[in-house]
Amino acid sequence: MNDEYYMKLALELARSVKGQTYPNPPVGAVIVKNGMIRGLGAHLKYGEAHAEVHALEMAGENAVGATLYVTLEPCSHVGKTPSCAQHIIDCRVSRVVIATMDLHEKVAGKGINMLQEAGVKVDVGILSDKTVEVNEVFFHYVKTRRPYVTMKTGVSLDGKIATATGESKYITNELARLDVHKYRHEHDAILVGVNTILKDNPQLTTRLPNGGKNPVRVILDTQLRTPPDAFVVTDQLAKTIIIVGSSVTQEKISLYTERNHVEVFSVKKEKIIIEDVLAELGKRGITSVFVEGGATVNDSFLRSGLIDKFVLYIAPKLIGGNESPTSIGGIGIPNLIDALPMDIVSVKQIGKNVKIVAKNRGG
């Protein structure tokens, strides 16, 4: 068995915790000695032990002279947890294989330097492309200080999200809807417009068979029309941030902020600008946003150019109708040359539905 084999195992450990480590990246670690796996670990939750620590604890004395495989450069600084690089040195690991460097300014090669100065052999770049994919949200956030945006929609074969009468439940099948809940679990926040709240009164929570993490709920609501008895206001299942325009009075806002899990944030302009929303969420440490908005919200994101990933579910149905809405409405892009360029990265059948994932070519 070679380095790639053990790094693949570390990557699987990282993928298994994707979405639950926010604002930290998902990391996996494997310790091998004499051709035998001695320790396994994953970073389970922000503020708790990192992947390397869990693996070293499992390995115990077998860590001495062993090789540690880790998907991301070990941290060199002391923060919520002690320095992983120093812990690796203290446990007398002889070799560390790292998939990719950590781009965060507090690490950025410092962990590798610390290990090398202590006499630990370090190899970097094993399956780095796969690790970048697992950590695309974290790396994007470190570079831009704004959340990674994934937009999702479900349509009929002819691109409709509802009939002309507004009926939309359900266009896609149950398997596709279950897949959506996996995305909710993996994202820090879920974002919709107020019209979705008024029409459906959704909970915007994660409902997977084995549970899951509920994302922060973000509502774009310029005039603060969200009903005070809406689920997102009353159910306390997750934090809710309602973003409103500058014209909304503090008296009206106070009707919502008396609840501990609800925050109303007022922008400085009468209209809500997507760039400002993402900048504000980024300041709050939210690294990823799952957009499940209607046609108007989706149009705002499209025209901002800040869609990083687009997930499309297609159901084998034909609806038709000039008045039947499509997933992105509003003004749209006026000139074809300015259309947001995307690269299709996967096409998968989910039951009788088809799932297409595309990424922003410029992202």
Side-chain angles (χ1 to χ4, degrees):
M1 296 180 184
N2 56 22
D3 288 344
E4 282 197 9
Y5 175 86
Y6 295 115
M7 189 60 77
K8 284 179 181 178
L9 180 55
L11 279 165
E12 285 305 310
L13 290 167
R15 288 191 184 98
S16 71
V17 295
K18 190 175 180 181
Q20 65 184 53
T21 60
Y22 138 73
N24 286 351
V27 179
V30 177
I31 294 177
V32 179
K33 186 176 183 181
N34 298 328
M36 296 180 64
I37 296 173
R38 303 291 188 170
L40 301 169
H43 179 40
L44 303 177
K45 186 180 179 182
Y46 174 67
E48 297 184 359
H50 289 183
E52 303 94 317
V53 175
H54 285 301
L56 289 166
E57 288 180 352
M58 181 181 289
E61 293 183 359
N62 285 309
V64 178
T67 297
L68 167 66
Y69 295 86
V70 63
T71 58
L72 192 66
E73 177 184 0
C75 62
S76 56
H77 61 287
V78 177
K80 289 283 185 180
T81 59
S83 163
C84 288
Q86 187 59 54
H87 190 43
I88 292 167
I89 294 167
D90 294 341
C91 290
R92 292 186 289 165
V93 170
S94 63
R95 180 178 177 234
V96 177
V97 181
I98 301 169
T100 186
M101 289 178 58
D102 189 337
L103 300 180
H104 197 287
E105 58 186 9
K106 290 184 178 180
V107 187
K110 297 183 182 71
I112 293 172
N113 291 338
M114 183 182 292
L115 292 169
Q116 290 175 329
E117 289 174 0
V120 179
K121 178 176 172 52
V122 180
D123 293 302
V124 183
I126 302 298
L127 298 182
S128 61
D129 57 333
K130 299 294 183 184
T131 305
V132 169
E133 181 183 332
V134 171
N135 285 302
E136 62 184 355
V137 166
F138 176 71
F139 288 158
H140 178 274
Y141 180 72
V142 169
K143 289 178 181 178
T144 67
R145 308 312 297 179
R146 69 166 178 82
Y148 187 95
V149 175
T150 301
M151 179 182 290
K152 158 263 168 183
T153 190
V155 301
S156 62
L157 275 175
D158 53 338
K160 305 297 185 179
I161 61 171
T163 66
T165 61
E167 184 180 353
S168 60
K169 292 186 177 179
Y170 289 104
I171 288 179
T172 56
N173 64 18
E174 187 174 349
L175 290 175
R177 297 195 297 275
L178 180 64
D179 197 58
V180 169
H181 283 277
K182 293 178 184 177
Y183 279 105
R184 289 185 178 185
H185 168 74
E186 293 178 354
H187 284 74
D188 299 343
I190 180 172
L191 183 148
V192 301
V194 66
N195 288 332
T196 296
I197 303 299
L198 294 172
K199 179 184 175 184
D200 300 329
N201 190 23
Q203 290 181 296
L204 302 180
T205 54
T206 299
R207 295 184 293 281
L208 293 170
N210 296 318
K213 173 190 64 94
N214 288 330
V216 174
R217 300 174 292 199
V218 180
I219 317 300
L220 303 186
D221 186 0
T222 305
Q223 301 300 326
L224 191 47
R225 294 185 293 143
T226 297
D229 60 350
F231 284 133
V232 294
V233 177
T234 62
D235 65 13
Q236 302 185 47
L237 295 176
K239 179 180 177 63
T240 296
I241 301 174
I242 305 175
I243 299 179
V244 302
S246 60
S247 63
V248 178
T249 66
Q250 286 301 314
E251 182 181 4
K252 190 174 184 179
I253 289 174
S254 66
L255 298 176
Y256 299 81
T257 53
E258 61 187 19
R259 305 172 191 271
N260 292 332
H261 66 288
V262 178
E263 176 187 356
V264 178
F265 176 77
S266 178
V267 297
K268 296 178 180 180
K269 304 169 185 174
E270 288 190 17
K271 291 185 177 181
I272 296 173
I273 307 299
I274 296 301
E275 291 87 341
D276 296 342
V277 169
L278 294 178
E280 183 60 34
L281 295 179
K283 290 177 184 177
R284 295 158 188 259
I286 291 176
T287 65
S288 61
V289 174
F290 191 50
V291 178
E292 287 198 61
T296 301
V297 167
N298 289 351
D299 175 59
S300 296
F301 272 90
L302 172 62
R303 286 185 289 109
S304 76
L306 298 177
I307 301 171
D308 299 298
K309 181 184 292 184
F310 187 76
V311 181
L312 173 67
Y313 299 92
I314 304 173
K317 301 173 182 176
L318 293 172
I319 295 174
N322 289 334
E323 302 303 319
S324 300
T326 58
S327 57
I328 302 179
I331 299 172
I333 303 298
N335 301 308
L336 192 57
I337 194 173
D338 298 321
L340 190 63
M342 308 292 286
D343 287 323
I344 294 176
V345 296
S346 69
V347 179
K348 177 183 178 181
Q349 189 153 348
I350 302 182
K352 293 183 178 181
N353 288 186
V354 174
K355 174 186 174 183
I356 299 175
V357 179
K359 292 183 179 180
N360 189 329
R361 192 175 299 164

